[in-house]
Amino acid sequence: MKAAMERARRLIGRLSAAIQTIFGLPNYGAYLEWHATFHPGEAPLSRRAFYDRHLKDRYGRGGLRRCC
């Protein structure tokens, strides 16, 4: 039973990451791994600050960036 629950959690995590990628949302887990590798000893951004920065970078420069 525990193994099935763990497989379900992993599947949900992968589906969530795929959906976020489709909609252009950043992956906080990947950011944490990157931050730990390249900035050990420094505190990473909180989840909220991470997403706020992403939204500002994406939409804060005078509107949407798109081809059409």
Side-chain angles (χ1 to χ4, degrees), residues 17 19-28 50-51 54-55 58:
I19 290 169
Q20 288 177 348
T21 300
I22 290 168
F23 287 100
L25 298 174
N27 185 330
Y28 185 69
F50 174 75
Y51 285 112
H54 172 75
L55 290 174
R58 186 167 185 177

Side-chain angles (χ1 to χ4, degrees), residues 33-49:
E33 290 176 17
W34 172 86
H35 193 277
T37 301
F38 293 102
H39 301 283
E42 294 180 25
L45 293 173
S46 68
R47 184 180 294 271
R48 174 69 187 238

